[in-house]
Amino acid sequence: MARLHLFDLDGSLIRGSAAPVEISRQLGLLEEVGELERELSRGLIGPPEYAARVHALWSGLTPEHVTAAFDSAPWLVGIREVWREIREGGDYCAVISLSPSFFVERLLEWGAHAAHGSLFPEVPFTRPVDPAGILSAAAKVTIAERLRARFAVDPADCVAYGDSMSDVDLFAAVPVSVAVNADRHLAGRATHTYSGGDLREAYALAQIP
């Protein structure tokens, strides 16, 4: 049976950072986005409010900024190699992230079968962000179920990789999970735990019976 590998982005594929942070770095707005990140992590705001405020913060964002943020992000090594191995083995890999879709979807070029992020308008922004398109931790599970059906993968053959509170629901919904450079929210919730900078090593843990 084919397996479905579900990857978080922020803190997991990008070590020690997140897409909004890297985008804000290009705009010289690290302090401002840092405050939003802290409010989100403390539960003072939810994903829709975070998205609306970061959308306003990025009023000067251009496609060139997004490209620079993507190219300079501190990615784990071995991502494309892992996804190539998954594909060649007849399995599937997908990214599900609360970060903006215009950033997440770039990972399709690296070999992901699917990439889902919170729906933001095209860059540069000419429209407001629609709260209905902003993902949550629960939405990750819904998307995972849709992907499982799309690829005809049995529930017992799903693997999740994540690092934080937004992955708790997804970890509970799959039989195998790998906490990648994870925070306290995933303590004791993962099948395997990995700390390091190479996705190939985290992927190898998921192959352990």
Side-chain angles (χ1 to χ4, degrees):
M1 294 291 292
R3 300 180 88 190
L4 172 59
H5 296 263
L6 302 159
F7 295 89
D8 173 53
L9 173 64
D10 301 324
S12 302
L13 297 179
I14 298 179
R15 187 178 185 184
S17 190
V21 173
E22 296 305 313
I23 292 168
S24 298
R25 189 188 309 279
Q26 298 300 319
L27 295 166
L29 296 169
L30 280 178
E31 184 176 343
E32 292 83 350
V33 80
E35 180 58 32
L36 289 180
E37 290 281 329
R38 286 188 289 273
E39 290 184 30
L40 181 65
S41 66
R42 294 170 185 164
L44 300 177
I45 59 175
E49 182 177 351
Y50 175 90
R53 291 172 61 181
V54 83
H55 174 273
L57 189 65
W58 294 340
S59 60
L61 188 63
T62 67
E64 290 73 23
H65 288 130
V66 179
T67 297
F70 188 90
D71 290 345
S72 63
W75 298 100
L76 265 64
V77 300
I79 295 174
R80 278 174 276 201
E81 290 85 347
V82 166
W83 291 353
R84 185 182 306 118
E85 182 173 334
I86 288 172
R87 281 179 167 271
E88 290 176 352
D91 294 335
Y92 301 94
C93 53
V95 181
I96 309 176
S97 171
L98 274 58
S99 278
S101 51
F102 60 76
F103 190 99
V104 179
E105 290 168 2
R106 288 175 174 246
L107 289 168
L108 293 170
E109 299 177 7
W110 284 15
H113 287 92
H116 293 269
S118 292
L119 295 178
F120 272 64
E122 299 79 8
V123 177
F125 299 142
T126 58
R127 297 180 290 111
V129 64
D130 182 356
I134 304 305
L135 300 187
S136 64
K140 283 191 171 187
V141 178
T142 302
I143 292 170
E145 279 299 300
R146 290 207 306 260
L147 290 171
R148 188 184 64 75
R150 170 185 167 187
F151 298 126
V153 173
D154 190 271
D157 295 311
C158 295
V159 184
Y161 305 76
D163 77 301
S164 66
M165 183 168 56
S166 70
D167 302 303
V168 169
D169 291 355
L170 185 57
F171 273 34
V174 300
V176 178
S177 55
V178 183
V180 181
N181 298 317
D183 63 23
R184 60 182 177 81
H185 295 98
L186 293 186
R189 299 177 184 270
T191 311
H192 306 285
T193 300
Y194 173 74
S195 179
D198 194 329
L199 188 64
R200 291 167 295 193
E201 295 172 353
Y203 173 70
L205 291 176
Q207 314 314 306
I208 298 174

XYZ file of all heavy atoms in Angstrom, residues 47-120:
585
model
N -5.542 32.532 14.010
C -5.010 32.612 12.649
C -5.680 33.647 11.755
O -4.976 34.350 11.010
C -5.203 31.185 12.116
C -5.113 30.329 13.336
C -5.796 31.124 14.413
N -7.025 33.838 11.784
C -7.616 34.851 10.904
C -7.149 36.272 11.221
O -6.847 37.054 10.300
C -9.122 34.686 11.143
C -9.283 33.267 11.586
C -8.069 33.011 12.422
N -7.090 36.606 12.508
C -6.631 37.954 12.870
C -5.147 38.118 12.543
O -4.719 39.176 12.059
C -6.872 38.236 14.348
C -6.459 39.651 14.742
C -6.742 39.992 16.183
O -7.419 39.191 16.875
O -6.278 41.057 16.642
N -4.373 37.076 12.805
C -2.950 37.120 12.450
C -2.794 37.390 10.956
O -1.987 38.240 10.545
C -2.290 35.803 12.826
C -0.845 35.693 12.400
C 0.181 36.114 13.232
C -0.509 35.161 11.155
C 1.519 36.010 12.840
C 0.812 35.064 10.752
C 1.820 35.485 11.592
O 3.138 35.383 11.190
N -3.548 36.672 10.141
C -3.451 36.831 8.692
C -3.821 38.248 8.254
O -3.153 38.844 7.403
C -4.347 35.816 7.986
N -4.879 38.801 8.833
C -5.303 40.144 8.467
C -4.233 41.169 8.835
O -3.953 42.102 8.066
C -6.616 40.484 9.158
N -3.632 40.994 9.991
C -2.630 41.960 10.437
C -1.320 41.827 9.678
O -0.656 42.831 9.370
C -2.423 41.834 11.942
C -3.640 42.314 12.723
C -3.563 42.033 14.202
N -2.426 42.707 14.834
C -2.134 42.598 16.126
N -2.894 41.839 16.916
N -1.092 43.233 16.632
N -0.933 40.598 9.334
C 0.300 40.437 8.575
C 0.086 40.898 7.133
O 1.008 41.436 6.495
C 0.809 38.982 8.661
C 0.116 38.061 7.657
C 2.311 38.915 8.465
N -1.121 40.738 6.614
C -1.455 41.247 5.278
C -1.272 42.760 5.251
O -0.694 43.320 4.300
C -2.900 40.856 4.936
C -3.416 41.440 3.664
N -4.001 42.684 3.599
C -3.459 40.938 2.400
C -4.383 42.932 2.363
N -4.060 41.888 1.612
N -1.738 43.448 6.281
C -1.568 44.904 6.360
C -0.096 45.283 6.517
O 0.373 46.272 5.939
C -2.386 45.453 7.526
N 0.626 44.471 7.264
C 2.045 44.726 7.482
C 2.834 44.628 6.174
O 3.806 45.361 5.973
C 2.571 43.708 8.493
C 3.979 43.895 9.050
C 4.074 45.173 9.871
C 4.362 42.682 9.904
N 2.380 43.754 5.293
C 3.094 43.515 4.036
C 2.545 44.339 2.874
O 2.546 43.896 1.722
C 2.996 42.042 3.670
C 3.697 41.106 4.614
C 4.684 41.398 5.503
C 3.461 39.703 4.736
N 5.080 40.275 6.181
C 4.343 39.214 5.734
C 2.588 38.810 4.117
C 4.374 37.874 6.109
C 2.613 37.478 4.492
C 3.501 37.011 5.482
N 2.089 45.524 3.128
C 1.475 46.340 2.063
C 2.436 46.615 0.905
O 2.010 46.810 -0.226
C 0.975 47.662 2.643
O 2.045 48.403 3.221
N 3.743 46.603 1.183
C 4.719 46.860 0.134
C 5.336 45.607 -0.466
O 6.332 45.691 -1.195
N 4.748 44.454 -0.206
C 5.328 43.185 -0.652
C 5.269 43.036 -2.175
O 4.258 43.336 -2.808
C 4.572 42.025 0.009
C 5.147 40.623 -0.197
C 6.527 40.507 0.427
C 4.200 39.580 0.393
N 6.370 42.551 -2.753
C 6.450 42.292 -4.189
C 6.830 40.830 -4.420
O 7.334 40.157 -3.518
C 7.512 43.177 -4.846
O 8.814 42.772 -4.368
C 7.281 44.657 -4.535
N 6.617 40.324 -5.636
C 7.057 38.950 -5.936
C 8.552 38.756 -5.713
O 8.982 37.667 -5.326
C 6.682 38.786 -7.414
C 5.525 39.712 -7.609
C 5.831 40.907 -6.757
N 9.326 39.799 -5.924
C 10.769 39.693 -5.716
C 11.099 39.466 -4.246
O 12.021 38.701 -3.919
C 11.464 40.962 -6.228
C 11.457 41.135 -7.740
C 10.091 41.526 -8.299
O 9.261 42.089 -7.531
O 9.851 41.263 -9.497
N 10.348 40.110 -3.359
C 10.533 39.874 -1.930
C 10.245 38.411 -1.577
O 10.972 37.786 -0.791
C 9.599 40.769 -1.108
C 9.974 42.209 -1.097
N 9.073 43.214 -1.371
C 11.149 42.828 -0.839
C 9.676 44.386 -1.282
N 10.934 44.183 -0.967
N 9.169 37.880 -2.143
C 8.775 36.502 -1.842
C 9.846 35.524 -2.333
O 10.222 34.582 -1.622
C 7.414 36.170 -2.470
C 7.035 34.719 -2.176
C 6.331 37.105 -1.949
N 10.349 35.760 -3.530
C 11.400 34.900 -4.072
C 12.642 34.943 -3.202
O 13.242 33.895 -2.894
C 11.749 35.325 -5.503
O 10.607 35.143 -6.347
C 12.903 34.505 -6.055
N 13.030 36.137 -2.782
C 14.214 36.273 -1.929
C 14.006 35.585 -0.589
O 14.917 34.936 -0.056
C 14.538 37.756 -1.727
N 12.803 35.712 -0.022
C 12.500 35.064 1.254
C 12.562 33.551 1.123
O 13.117 32.859 1.993
C 11.118 35.497 1.736
N 12.013 33.024 0.053
C 12.020 31.578 -0.170
C 13.447 31.072 -0.365
O 13.859 30.072 0.238
C 11.162 31.242 -1.390
C 10.949 29.779 -1.608
C 9.866 29.123 -1.044
C 11.837 29.040 -2.390
C 9.668 27.760 -1.243
C 11.642 27.680 -2.595
C 10.557 27.040 -2.017
N 14.205 31.770 -1.181
C 15.551 31.300 -1.513
C 16.512 31.379 -0.329
O 17.446 30.570 -0.235
C 16.115 32.119 -2.678
C 15.411 31.832 -3.998
O 14.688 30.812 -4.076
O 15.572 32.631 -4.942
N 16.313 32.333 0.567
C 17.250 32.527 1.676
C 16.792 31.893 2.980
O 17.494 31.969 3.991
C 17.490 34.027 1.899
O 16.288 34.683 2.280
N 15.622 31.263 3.001
C 15.113 30.645 4.230
C 16.043 29.517 4.691
O 16.672 28.849 3.867
C 13.705 30.097 4.005
N 16.138 29.282 5.998
C 17.010 28.217 6.525
C 16.375 26.831 6.397
O 15.960 26.208 7.382
C 17.205 28.629 7.987
C 15.948 29.364 8.344
C 15.555 30.111 7.087
N 16.281 26.351 5.180
C 15.661 25.061 4.911
C 16.493 23.917 5.476
O 17.724 23.985 5.491
C 15.514 24.845 3.408
C 14.643 25.844 2.719
C 15.042 26.929 1.996
C 13.212 25.844 2.671
N 13.951 27.606 1.510
C 12.820 26.965 1.906
C 12.234 25.004 3.197
C 11.484 27.276 1.655
C 10.902 25.306 2.947
C 10.540 26.431 2.184
N 15.816 22.868 5.922
C 16.518 21.624 6.199
C 17.134 21.122 4.904
O 16.560 21.324 3.815
C 15.558 20.562 6.750
C 15.456 20.420 8.282
C 14.894 21.684 8.894
C 14.592 19.223 8.637
N 18.268 20.473 4.995
C 18.851 19.862 3.807
C 18.108 18.556 3.519
O 17.484 17.966 4.396
C 20.363 19.606 3.979
C 21.100 20.914 4.236
C 20.632 18.613 5.099
N 18.189 18.122 2.276
C 17.641 16.816 1.912
C 16.168 16.786 1.588
O 15.606 15.702 1.373
N 15.510 17.943 1.514
C 14.064 17.942 1.255
C 13.765 17.349 -0.118
O 12.933 16.435 -0.254
C 13.479 19.367 1.364
C 13.603 19.883 2.803
C 12.021 19.382 0.905
C 13.190 21.335 2.976
N 14.407 17.854 -1.129
C 14.127 17.359 -2.484
C 14.527 15.896 -2.633
O 13.848 15.142 -3.343
C 14.841 18.238 -3.509
C 14.067 19.517 -3.815
C 14.818 20.465 -4.705
N 15.738 21.300 -3.951
C 16.226 22.454 -4.379
N 15.883 22.904 -5.579
N 17.051 23.152 -3.639
N 15.598 15.497 -1.948
C 16.021 14.090 -2.019
C 14.975 13.175 -1.373
O 14.660 12.102 -1.925
C 17.374 13.917 -1.327
C 18.538 14.545 -2.060
C 18.729 16.020 -1.735
O 17.824 16.636 -1.126
O 19.779 16.569 -2.092
N 14.438 13.593 -0.236
C 13.411 12.786 0.430
C 12.175 12.684 -0.436
O 11.608 11.592 -0.618
C 13.062 13.384 1.805
C 11.769 12.774 2.354
C 14.203 13.157 2.782
N 11.732 13.794 -0.974
C 10.515 13.766 -1.786
C 10.715 12.975 -3.080
O 9.789 12.326 -3.553
C 10.053 15.189 -2.064
C 9.558 15.872 -0.816
C 9.379 15.297 0.414
C 9.203 17.241 -0.660
N 8.929 16.222 1.321
C 8.810 17.428 0.691
C 9.183 18.335 -1.520
C 8.393 18.658 1.184
C 8.777 19.571 -1.036
C 8.383 19.721 0.308
N 11.931 13.001 -3.618
C 12.210 12.182 -4.801
C 12.128 10.700 -4.444
O 11.552 9.900 -5.200
C 13.597 12.515 -5.346
C 13.917 11.781 -6.655
C 15.318 12.100 -7.145
N 15.520 13.543 -7.245
C 16.425 14.212 -6.526
N 17.202 13.569 -5.667
N 16.547 15.511 -6.664
N 12.681 10.340 -3.295
C 12.618 8.937 -2.856
C 11.178 8.507 -2.614
O 10.786 7.381 -2.957
C 13.450 8.752 -1.591
C 13.487 7.315 -1.091
C 14.444 7.116 0.072
O 15.404 7.897 0.191
O 14.214 6.173 0.859
N 10.384 9.386 -2.027
C 8.970 9.079 -1.789
C 8.260 8.835 -3.111
O 7.516 7.849 -3.265
C 8.305 10.231 -1.003
C 8.792 10.231 0.451
C 6.787 10.102 -1.054
C 8.346 11.432 1.250
N 8.477 9.713 -4.058
C 7.840 9.570 -5.373
C 8.291 8.283 -6.064
O 7.464 7.531 -6.605
C 8.176 10.772 -6.261
C 7.355 12.020 -5.976
C 7.766 13.162 -6.891
N 6.827 14.249 -6.853
C 5.761 14.373 -7.635
N 5.510 13.421 -8.536
N 4.944 15.410 -7.552
N 9.576 8.042 -6.061
C 10.103 6.868 -6.759
C 9.640 5.572 -6.106
O 9.558 4.535 -6.777
C 11.630 6.934 -6.801
C 12.145 8.040 -7.720
C 13.663 8.173 -7.693
O 14.307 7.512 -6.837
O 14.197 8.941 -8.514
N 9.296 5.631 -4.831
C 8.797 4.453 -4.144
C 7.300 4.248 -4.288
O 6.737 3.305 -3.722
N 6.641 5.144 -5.052
C 5.202 5.012 -5.265
C 4.353 5.602 -4.159
O 3.143 5.376 -4.113
N 5.004 6.368 -3.261
C 4.274 7.018 -2.178
C 3.989 8.478 -2.528
O 4.339 8.950 -3.613
C 5.074 6.924 -0.875
C 5.202 5.490 -0.376
O 4.337 4.666 -0.722
O 6.172 5.194 0.350
N 3.362 9.206 -1.588
C 2.950 10.586 -1.831
C 3.453 11.496 -0.715
O 3.571 11.082 0.444
C 1.420 10.675 -1.905
C 0.829 9.820 -2.991
C 0.380 8.527 -2.709
C 0.741 10.270 -4.306
C -0.156 7.716 -3.705
C 0.211 9.474 -5.305
C -0.231 8.199 -5.005
O -0.748 7.400 -5.999
N 3.740 12.747 -1.078
C 4.168 13.726 -0.082
C 3.414 15.031 -0.308
O 3.164 15.431 -1.451
C 5.676 13.956 -0.141
S 6.322 14.389 -1.769
N 3.046 15.675 0.788
C 2.288 16.919 0.704
C 2.706 17.834 1.850
O 3.145 17.376 2.902
C 0.787 16.639 0.787
N 2.566 19.122 1.624
C 2.833 20.133 2.641
C 1.511 20.779 3.029
O 0.724 21.174 2.152
C 3.812 21.203 2.131
C 4.090 22.246 3.226
C 5.104 20.577 1.657
N 1.260 20.875 4.325
C 0.072 21.568 4.834
C 0.553 22.567 5.872
O 1.126 22.186 6.895
C -0.947 20.611 5.474
C -1.267 19.447 4.538
C -2.222 21.367 5.829
C -2.195 18.402 5.162
N 0.326 23.845 5.607
C 0.868 24.888 6.472
C -0.134 26.016 6.659
O -0.946 26.294 5.764
C 2.153 25.454 5.847
O 2.603 26.600 6.535
N -0.067 26.678 7.807
C -0.892 27.857 8.041
C -0.314 29.089 7.363
O -0.954 30.138 7.311
C -1.030 28.117 9.545
C -2.155 27.379 10.290
C -2.026 25.871 10.158
C -2.169 27.778 11.760
N 0.903 28.989 6.831
C 1.546 30.122 6.176
C 0.889 30.427 4.829
O 0.124 29.612 4.304
C 3.042 29.836 5.985
O 3.746 30.116 7.172
N 1.193 31.600 4.255
C 0.532 32.024 3.016
C 0.713 31.045 1.859
O 1.811 30.536 1.615
C 1.183 33.375 2.714
C 1.616 33.887 4.035
C 2.058 32.671 4.800
N -0.354 30.839 1.132
C -0.347 29.911 0.002
C 0.684 30.301 -1.061
O 1.293 29.436 -1.682
C -1.745 29.855 -0.626
O -2.215 31.174 -0.899
N 0.902 31.617 -1.257
C 1.827 32.034 -2.305
C 3.270 31.630 -1.998
O 4.101 31.562 -2.903
C 1.730 33.541 -2.576
C 2.037 34.434 -1.398
C 3.332 34.642 -0.970
C 1.011 35.095 -0.737
C 3.615 35.476 0.098
C 1.280 35.931 0.345
C 2.588 36.118 0.760
N 3.565 31.346 -0.753
C 4.881 30.838 -0.357
C 4.888 29.311 -0.354
O 5.772 28.684 -0.943
C 5.236 31.371 1.034
C 6.658 31.121 1.463
C 7.615 32.118 1.342
C 7.038 29.899 2.006
C 8.931 31.898 1.753
C 8.341 29.672 2.415
C 9.296 30.674 2.280
N 3.888 28.719 0.255
C 3.829 27.264 0.406
C 3.807 26.558 -0.942
O 4.478 25.530 -1.145
C 2.592 26.866 1.236
C 2.519 25.346 1.385
C 2.618 27.534 2.605
N 3.060 27.096 -1.893
C 2.890 26.428 -3.184
C 4.167 26.369 -4.005
O 4.255 25.583 -4.958
C 1.775 27.110 -3.968
C 0.399 26.843 -3.357
C -0.704 27.718 -3.930
O -0.400 28.524 -4.848
O -1.852 27.596 -3.463
N 5.158 27.162 -3.650
C 6.445 27.073 -4.341
C 7.107 25.711 -4.130
O 7.982 25.314 -4.906
C 7.380 28.189 -3.867
C 6.977 29.570 -4.380
C 7.831 30.679 -3.800
N 7.488 31.949 -4.435
C 8.306 32.644 -5.224
N 9.526 32.198 -5.472
N 7.911 33.784 -5.768
N 6.699 24.995 -3.085
C 7.291 23.689 -2.813
C 6.825 22.610 -3.783
O 7.385 21.516 -3.808
C 6.988 23.279 -1.370
C 7.761 24.104 -0.337
C 7.221 23.871 1.060
C 9.249 23.773 -0.388
N 5.833 22.909 -4.594
C 5.455 21.977 -5.654
C 6.617 21.795 -6.627
O 6.812 20.708 -7.179
C 4.219 22.499 -6.405
C 2.924 22.534 -5.590
C 1.841 23.289 -6.376
C 2.448 21.124 -5.270
N 7.407 22.842 -6.824
C 8.552 22.763 -7.723
C 9.662 21.884 -7.157
O 10.547 21.443 -7.891
C 9.090 24.161 -8.005
C 8.090 25.080 -8.684
C 8.636 26.484 -8.893
O 9.847 26.700 -8.637
O 7.866 27.363 -9.310
N 9.621 21.631 -5.851
C 10.627 20.776 -5.224
C 10.212 19.309 -5.203
O 10.975 18.457 -4.754
C 10.885 21.253 -3.789
C 11.717 22.484 -3.707
C 12.016 23.358 -4.719
C 12.385 22.981 -2.546
N 12.806 24.379 -4.258
C 13.050 24.170 -2.927
C 12.464 22.554 -1.224
C 13.809 24.930 -2.031
C 13.212 23.308 -0.326
C 13.881 24.484 -0.725
N 8.993 19.021 -5.654
C 8.577 17.627 -5.747
C 7.408 17.208 -4.900
O 7.029 16.028 -4.910
N 6.802 18.138 -4.144
C 5.609 17.781 -3.369
C 4.446 17.490 -4.318
O 4.262 18.189 -5.315
C 5.234 18.914 -2.422
N 3.660 16.469 -4.004
C 2.466 16.179 -4.797
C 1.385 17.233 -4.586
O 0.553 17.468 -5.487
C 1.894 14.806 -4.419
C 2.712 13.648 -4.910
N 3.695 13.069 -4.148
C 2.681 12.965 -6.083
C 4.246 12.063 -4.825
N 3.654 11.978 -5.994
N 1.365 17.839 -3.405
C 0.364 18.863 -3.089
C 0.959 19.813 -2.062
O 1.829 19.424 -1.270
C -0.913 18.226 -2.543
N 0.504 21.059 -2.080
C 0.979 22.061 -1.114
C -0.180 22.985 -0.789
O -0.712 23.659 -1.678
C 2.157 22.843 -1.684
N -0.578 22.996 0.465
C -1.733 23.787 0.894
C -1.307 24.781 1.977
O -0.688 24.413 2.966
C -2.826 22.879 1.459
C -3.446 21.985 0.437
N -4.558 22.341 -0.284
C -3.084 20.758 0.001
C -4.883 21.355 -1.112
N -3.991 20.385 -0.962
N -1.666 26.046 1.763
C -1.429 27.081 2.749
C -2.664 27.940 2.908
O -3.667 27.747 2.212
N -2.608 28.889 3.829
C -3.717 29.831 3.983
C -3.835 30.682 2.722
O -2.832 31.162 2.186
C -3.455 30.741 5.191
O -3.530 30.007 6.395
N -5.050 30.857 2.242
C -5.269 31.546 0.978
C -5.130 33.057 1.143
O -5.935 33.696 1.823
C -6.646 31.194 0.429
C -6.847 29.731 0.026
C -8.277 29.505 -0.455
C -5.849 29.328 -1.050
N -4.102 33.588 0.534
C -3.868 35.027 0.487
C -4.095 35.510 -0.944
O -3.971 34.727 -1.894
C -2.424 35.353 0.884
C -2.213 35.550 2.358
C -2.408 34.500 3.254
C -1.800 36.774 2.848
C -2.206 34.680 4.614
C -1.597 36.971 4.203
C -1.802 35.923 5.090
